[in-house]
C-alpha cells in the first residue's frame, strides 16, 4: 500500500499519514538532486485509529439476585394402626321343645312304661305320708323376740309438736323416710314441716340427726318412695299439693310439684302412690287421693311441673248399689277418699277407702264420665265398680294382699279390721283390735297370713291368721303414754324390719322375730282356703 | 305315640301334680307341660343334680344305682325318675288345693 499511496491519489488522512511516513525514508535523504547511498532504516510501528469503525463497547452493570430465604418447619406424621374387630351377640335362642317325631318313640315309650308304675306309686305314698308333717328346717339363726333397733326423731320437728304422719322405705330397703305434720288440725295451718330420712344401713347412724332433711312449707300427710329410684320420694301436703323430692340433692331437693292450679286437690292429700306408666315400665306416675273425692294421676314434665294425665272423681250417686248405704245421695256430693291400695296382680285395679267407711273396688280403665262440676283440665271419670259393706266409721287404711288376688284389709276409726274378698260385699272376717281408732294396716310382704295394724292406743299389733284369728300374736308397745301410732311400713328388702311412726314424732324401727320373716310351708294354701270361704 | 301321650296324661292328672317334664340324656326337654322358661330352668338345674346324685350312689357302691330322687322344699316337691336315656321330672305340690 505504501507504493500505491505514493502515486498521488487522495487518500483518507489516515493512510495519507502512512504514505508520508512510508516515503519518509526516501524523502529524508539529504537533499534533492543529489543521489545518496541507499540505506535501510527501520522505523517504529505507527498505528492509526479508525474513524469509521466504532468500537463496540461493553456496558457493564452489576446486578445480583437472591431468593427469599425458605422457611422450614419440622412436622412429623404417623399413620395409626387400625385393627377392625367385630363382636356380635346372638339373641338367645329360646330352647324349643323337640317335637316328638324327632325322637326315638319306641324307646321313649319303653322308658315311660317302665317308670310309670314307680312314679304313680311314689305319688300315692307321698300323698298319704305324714313323714314330714311339722318338720321345718331353719337355715338361719332364730330370733325369738321383737326388739326395737332404732328410735329415730328430728328434734326441731318434735319441738313443734309435730306427729309422724307418713313413713316409707326406699327401693333398696336401707333408707326410711318420715313425714311430719299434724293429723288433728281442723283448719288451715301455716306450719312448716319436714321430711326426714335416715339410712339404717350406715354405720354411724345418729338417731337425732337424719341423713337428709327437707323443709316443706305445709304439713306433709303422706309419703311414698319411688319403686326403683332410691332417692326420689313423693309427698302429699295439707294444702292439696303433691311434691316430689330428690333426697340426694341437699341444696335443692324439690324435683316436681303440682302447684296450686285448678287441677290440684282442694283438700289435704290422704295418700300418694307410685304407678308404672302403661307401656313404659321404667317410668312412673304419681297417683294422689284426697278427701275432696278426686283420684288424680300426675306425670312429671319438663321444668319441675307435675301435669295431670288422668283423673277420677267419686260422686255419691255414681257408686254401685251393691250394698245398702246409710246416706241417701242428695245432689252431687263427693265422697272423700282416705286411702288407696293397688292390687299386686292386676295393675289397673285398686281399692279406695272412703270417709263413709265403705271400701270401693275401682279400676283405672273405667270409662264412664263423673257427674261432677269440679274444674279439671282432663275429663274426670267415675272409677267405682263395687261397693263393699261399710265400717262403723271412716276408713284410714287399706292394703291388698301380695299373695292372693282377691283379698284386702281395711281398718278404720271403729277400731275394726275387716278382711274382704273382692268377690263379695260383706267382709270375710271382722276383728276388733282396738277401742280407739286404727290408723294403719299393712300385709306382711313375706308371710301370706300376717298383717300389722297401728292403733290409737300406742301399739303395733301383729296378727298371724295361722296361729290365732282372734287375738294378736305380738303386741308391740310403741309409745309409753298411749299416744297413737299413725303409720307403719314393712321393709320388703330386709324383711325383718318394721318401721312405725307415732304422735310424739319418733320413728321406731322394730326387728321382728324369725317367725315373721319366712314363709311357712303351708301358708299359701291356707290363704287360699281362707279366701275360698266366700259365703254363697 | 298314643301310648306315650296317655302315660304322660295319667301322671299329669294325678292328684297334686303341677307339671311333668321328660328330658333326654343331654338334658334337653323332650316333653313338658310347663311353660318354656320354667321348663328350661328346671331341666338345666335338675339335670346336673340328678347326675351328681347318680354318681354319688354309684361311688358309694358300684353295684348300686339311683332309682328315684325327691327334693322337698317349703312350697313344692320335685320328683325325678331317672333312666338311661331320659329323666322324668315331676314338679308337684305336696298339699291339697281346694277347688
Amino acid at each position: 500500500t505504501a507504493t500505491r499511496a505514493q502515486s498521488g491519489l487522495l487518500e483518507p488522512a489516515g493512510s495519507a499519514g502512512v504514505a508520508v511516513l512510508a516515503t519518509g525514508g526516501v524523502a529524508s535523504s539529504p537533499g534533492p538532486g543529489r543521489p545518496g547511498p541507499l540505506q535501510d532504516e527501520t522505523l517504529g510501528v505507527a498505528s492509526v485509529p479508525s474513524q469509521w469503525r466504532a468500537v463496540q463497547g461493553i456496558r457493564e452493570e452489576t446486578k445480583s439476585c437472591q431468593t427469599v430465604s425458605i422457611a422450614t418447619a419440622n412436622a412429623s406424621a404417623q399413620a395409626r394402626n387400625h385393627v377392625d374387630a367385630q363382636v356380635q351377640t346372638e339373641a338367645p335362642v329360646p330352647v324349643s321343645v323337640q317335637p316328638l317325631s324327632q325322637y326315638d318313640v319306641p324307646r321313649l315309650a319303653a322308658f315311660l312304661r317302665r317308670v310309670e308304675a314307680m312314679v304313680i306309686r311314689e305319688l300315692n305314698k307321698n300323698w298319704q305320708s305324714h313323714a314330714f308333717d311339722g318338720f321345718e328346717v331353719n337355715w338361719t339363726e332364730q330370733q325369738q323376740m321383737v326388739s326395737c333397733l332404732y328410735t329415730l326423731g328430728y328434734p326441731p320437728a318434735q319441738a313443734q309438736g309435730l306427729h309422724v304422719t307418713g313413713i316409707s322405705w326406699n327401693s333398696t330397703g336401707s333408707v326410711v323416710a318420715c313425714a311430719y305434720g299434724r293429723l288433728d288440725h281442723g283448719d288451715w295451718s301455716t306450719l312448716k314441716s319436714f321430711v326426714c330420712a335416715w339410712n339404717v344401713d350406715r354405720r354411724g347412724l345418729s338417731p337425732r340427726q337424719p341423713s337428709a332433711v327437707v323443709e316443706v312449707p305445709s304439713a306433709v300427710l303422706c309419703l311414698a318412695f319411688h319403686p326403683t329410684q332410691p332417692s326420689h320420694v313423693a309427698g302429699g301436703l295439707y294444702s292439696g299439693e303433691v311434691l316430689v323430692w330428690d333426697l340426694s340433692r341437699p341444696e335443692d331437693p324439690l324435683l316436681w310439684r303440682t302447684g296450686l292450679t285448678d287441677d290440684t286437690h282442694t283438700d289435704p292429700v290422704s295418700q300418694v302412690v307410685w304407678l308404672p306408666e302403661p307401656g313404659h315400665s321404667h317410668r312412673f306416675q304419681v297417683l294422689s287421693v284426697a278427701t275432696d273425692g278426686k283420684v288424680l294421676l300426675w306425670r312429671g314434665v319438663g321444668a319441675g311441673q307435675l301435669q295431670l294425665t288422668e283423673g277420677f272423681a267419686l260422686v255419691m250417686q255414681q257408686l254401685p248399689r251393691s250394698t245398702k248405704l246409710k246416706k241417701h245421695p242428695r245432689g252431687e256430693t263427693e265422697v272423700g277418699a282416705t286411702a288407696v291400695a293397688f292390687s299386686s296382680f292386676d295393675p289397673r285395679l285398686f281399692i279406695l277407702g272412703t270417709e263413709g267407711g265403705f271400701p270401693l273396688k275401682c279400676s283405672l280403665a273405667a270409662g264412664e264420665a263423673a257427674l261432677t262440676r269440679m274444674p279439671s283440665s282432663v275429663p274426670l271419670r267415675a272409677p267405682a265398680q263395687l261397693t263393699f259393706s261399710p265400717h262403723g266409721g271412716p276408713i284410714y287404711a287399706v292394703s291388698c294382699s301380695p299373695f292372693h288376688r282377691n283379698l284386702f284389709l281395711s281398718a278404720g276409726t271403729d277400731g275394726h279390721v275387716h278382711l274382704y274378698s273382692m268377690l263379695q260385699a260383706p267382709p270375710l272376717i271382722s276383728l276388733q283390735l282396738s277401742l280407739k281408732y286404727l290408723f294403719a294396716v299393712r300385709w306382711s310382704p313375706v308371710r301370706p297370713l300376717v298383717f300389722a295394724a297401728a292403733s290409737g292406743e300406742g301399739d303395733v299389733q301383729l296378727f298371724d291368721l295361722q296361729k290365732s284369728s282372734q287375738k294378736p300374736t305380738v303386741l308391740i308397745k310403741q309409745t309409753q303414754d298411749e299416744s297413737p301410732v299413725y303409720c307403719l311400713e314393712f321393709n320388703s328388702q330386709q324383711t325383718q324390719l318394721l318401721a312405725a311412726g307415732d304422735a310424739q314424732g319418733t320413728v321406731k324401727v322394730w326387728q321382728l322375730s324369725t317367725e315373721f320373716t319366712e314363709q311357712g310351708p303351708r301358708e299359701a294354701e291356707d290363704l287360699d282356703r281362707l279366701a275360698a270361704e266366700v259365703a254363697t | 305315640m298314643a301310648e306315650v301321650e296317655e302315660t304322660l296324661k295319667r301322671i299329669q292328672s294325678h292328684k297334686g301334680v303341677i307339671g311333668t317334664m321328660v328330658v333326654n340324656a343331654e338334658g334337653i326337654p323332650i316333653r313338658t307341660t310347663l311353660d318354656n322358661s320354667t321348663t328350661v330352668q328346671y331341666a338345666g338345674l335338675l339335670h346336673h343334680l340328678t347326675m351328681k346324685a347318680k354318681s354319688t350312689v354309684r361311688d358309694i357302691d358300684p353295684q348300686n344305682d339311683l332309682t328315684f330322687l325327691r327334693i322337698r322344699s317349703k312350697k313344692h316337691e320335685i320328683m325325678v325318675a331317672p333312666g338311661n336315656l331320659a329323666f322324668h321330672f315331676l314338679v308337684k305340690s305336696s298339699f291339697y288345693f281346694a277347688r
Side-chain angles (χ1 to χ4, degrees):
Chain A
T1 45
T3 47
R4 276 203 355 229
Q6 233 171 325
S7 65
L9 285 172
L10 256 154
E11 308 248 28
S15 57
V18 174
V20 170
L21 283 176
T23 55
V26 180
S28 66
S29 55
R34 193 164 66 147
L38 283 168
Q39 288 177 334
D40 282 311
E41 270 187 54
T42 41
L43 290 172
V45 173
S47 72
V48 177
S50 165
Q51 283 185 334
W52 62 271
R53 196 181 284 165
V55 172
Q56 304 265 359
I58 305 171
R59 198 175 66 223
E60 280 184 17
E61 269 182 27
T62 315
K63 280 234 184 264
S64 69
C65 73
Q66 182 173 348
T67 55
V68 174
S69 65
I70 303 171
T72 60
N74 273 342
S76 63
Q78 182 171 349
R80 259 189 277 177
N81 284 335
H82 280 274
V83 177
D84 272 325
Q86 274 189 351
V87 173
Q88 180 172 347
T89 53
E90 283 181 3
V93 176
V95 174
S96 55
V97 173
Q98 306 252 7
L100 191 58
S101 57
Q102 282 187 8
Y103 266 82
D104 202 350
V105 177
R107 285 176 76 191
L108 182 61
F111 165 69
L112 283 178
R113 216 177 303 134
R114 191 182 61 225
V115 154
E116 183 198 358
M118 170 172 55
V119 166
I120 298 280
R121 197 175 53 228
E122 289 296 330
L123 282 174
N124 283 327
K125 257 203 289 186
N126 207 7
W127 191 245
Q128 292 147 8
S129 136
H130 293 280
F132 288 100
D133 281 357
F135 175 68
E136 281 174 33
V137 177
N138 297 307
W139 289 97
T140 56
E141 210 181 274
Q142 296 295 298
Q143 173 99 21
Q144 295 304 328
M145 306 251 294
V146 174
S147 58
C148 179
L149 275 185
Y150 307 106
T151 305
L152 309 167
Y154 188 49
Q158 290 170 319
Q160 285 181 25
L162 291 177
H163 306 159
V164 176
T165 51
I167 229 179
S168 182
W169 289 95
N170 78 340
S171 57
T172 60
S174 51
V175 176
V176 59
C178 74
Y180 280 101
R182 282 197 75 107
L183 281 182
D184 53 0
H185 262 202
D187 51 358
W188 288 101
S189 62
T190 48
L191 276 181
K192 249 187 350 165
S193 75
F194 306 92
V195 169
C196 306
W198 285 268
N199 187 332
V200 297
D201 280 345
R202 216 176 269 176
R203 207 162 286 184
L205 172 68
S206 126
R208 303 267 123 207
Q209 207 172 344
S211 52
V213 180
V214 178
E215 276 193 18
V216 186
S218 166
V220 184
L221 292 180
C222 50
L223 207 62
F225 259 108
H226 193 284
T228 53
Q229 291 272 11
S231 59
H232 290 191
V233 59
L237 265 54
Y238 194 86
S239 56
E241 278 192 77
V242 173
L243 268 60
V244 178
W245 297 282
D246 182 352
L247 295 178
S248 61
R249 303 194 311 195
E251 64 289 338
D252 179 23
L254 187 62
L255 269 184
W256 286 306
R257 62 185 310 159
T258 56
L260 288 168
T261 61
D262 272 345
D263 289 333
T264 350
H265 289 288
T266 50
D267 273 1
V269 178
S270 334
Q271 198 161 348
V272 284
V273 171
W274 288 92
L275 288 181
E277 265 184 50
H280 302 99
S281 58
H282 57 277
R283 289 213 297 254
F284 288 84
Q285 299 172 296
V286 181
L287 181 115
S288 61
V289 303
T291 44
D292 60 358
K294 286 201 280 197
V295 175
L296 301 175
L297 207 54
W298 306 91
R299 184 179 24 202
V301 296
Q305 176 72 22
L306 275 178
Q307 199 182 59
L308 188 61
T309 53
E310 281 179 43
F312 302 88
L314 294 171
V315 179
M316 201 69 187
Q317 306 101 297
Q318 283 180 306
L319 295 181
R321 293 273 174 287
S322 32
T323 165
K324 203 160 146 42
L325 298 171
K326 289 193 205 117
K327 276 213 284 252
H328 291 285
R330 186 178 307 213
E332 291 158 7
T333 35
E334 286 99 23
V335 178
T338 49
V340 65
F342 271 79
S343 161
S344 341
F345 293 85
D346 181 355
R348 309 199 66 100
L349 188 64
F350 61 100
I351 303 287
L352 278 180
T354 59
E355 277 178 331
F358 41 90
L360 291 170
K361 179 166 98 158
C362 306
S363 168
L364 288 177
E368 190 194 339
L371 303 168
T372 172
R373 273 198 283 254
M374 287 188 278
S376 168
S377 59
V378 161
L380 296 174
R381 294 178 271 156
Q385 292 177 337
L386 184 63
T387 313
F388 297 94
S389 304
H391 281 249
I395 296 182
Y396 274 158
V398 285
S399 178
C400 284
S401 169
F403 291 94
H404 197 284
R405 63 185 318 126
N406 286 340
L407 293 177
F408 69 92
L409 289 167
S410 67
T413 57
D414 57 351
H416 281 77
V417 161
H418 287 192
L419 174 67
Y420 288 95
S421 163
M422 289 192 207
L423 304 172
Q424 67 172 32
L428 293 174
I429 299 178
S430 169
L431 295 163
Q432 171 148 30
L433 296 189
S434 165
L435 295 168
K436 293 197 189 169
Y437 298 176
L438 283 177
F439 289 98
V441 70
R442 290 279 179 266
W443 284 103
S444 162
V446 279
R447 296 266 327 263
L449 290 164
V450 169
F451 64 88
S455 78
E457 286 157 347
D459 45 41
V460 173
Q461 302 188 12
L462 280 166
F463 250 83
D464 186 347
L465 291 171
Q466 195 177 39
K467 293 235 175 80
S468 148
S469 57
Q470 297 308 318
K471 62 179 184 58
T473 316
V474 177
L475 194 104
I476 309 174
K477 258 199 126 14
Q478 170 132 345
T479 54
Q480 305 310 40
D481 59 354
E482 297 205 351
S483 47
V485 178
Y486 285 132
C487 46
L488 60 81
E489 281 293 339
F490 282 96
N491 185 339
S492 36
Q493 311 303 68
Q494 300 187 43
T495 53
Q496 77 278 18
L497 297 181
L498 169 66
D502 56 34
Q504 290 176 340
T506 40
V507 171
K508 291 204 178 170
V509 178
W510 299 95
Q511 182 173 34
L512 303 175
S513 46
T514 328
E515 57 178 357
F516 290 108
T517 58
E518 283 173 6
Q519 200 175 22
R522 289 218 239 194
E523 285 202 51
E525 285 71 32
D526 287 346
L527 191 68
D528 284 338
R529 206 174 329 154
L530 195 59
E533 290 166 11
V534 170
T536 43
Chain B
M1 190 113 49
E3 189 194 342
V4 167
E5 298 292 337
E6 265 179 41
T7 315
L8 285 174
K9 201 193 237 154
R10 261 202 300 274
I11 299 181
Q12 170 68 26
S13 53
H14 200 271
K15 216 171 10 177
V17 173
I18 303 178
T20 317
M21 207 170 18
V22 182
V23 158
N24 76 348
E26 281 99 34
I28 302 172
I30 308 176
R31 301 286 313 201
T32 175
T33 61
L34 300 165
D35 62 275
N36 224 8
S37 52
T38 318
T39 305
V40 167
Q41 189 176 29
Y42 271 103
L45 295 169
L46 289 173
H47 185 68
H48 290 298
L49 188 62
T50 317
M51 304 306 318
K52 186 73 180 171
K54 188 181 167 101
S55 68
T56 306
V57 170
R58 301 214 43 173
D59 282 350
I60 293 177
D61 180 357
Q63 315 287 326
N64 206 354
D65 204 351
L66 179 71
T67 54
F68 211 78
L69 178 65
R70 280 156 67 155
I71 303 166
R72 199 179 175 105
S73 73
K74 274 189 195 159
K75 298 184 188 173
H76 310 293
E77 179 160 349
I78 302 173
M79 303 168 76
V80 179
N84 55 357
L85 69 88
F87 296 100
H88 192 163
F89 301 152
L90 287 169
V91 177
K92 111 185 228 325
S93 162
S94 32
F95 302 103
Y96 183 62
F97 267 80
R99 181 91 37 162

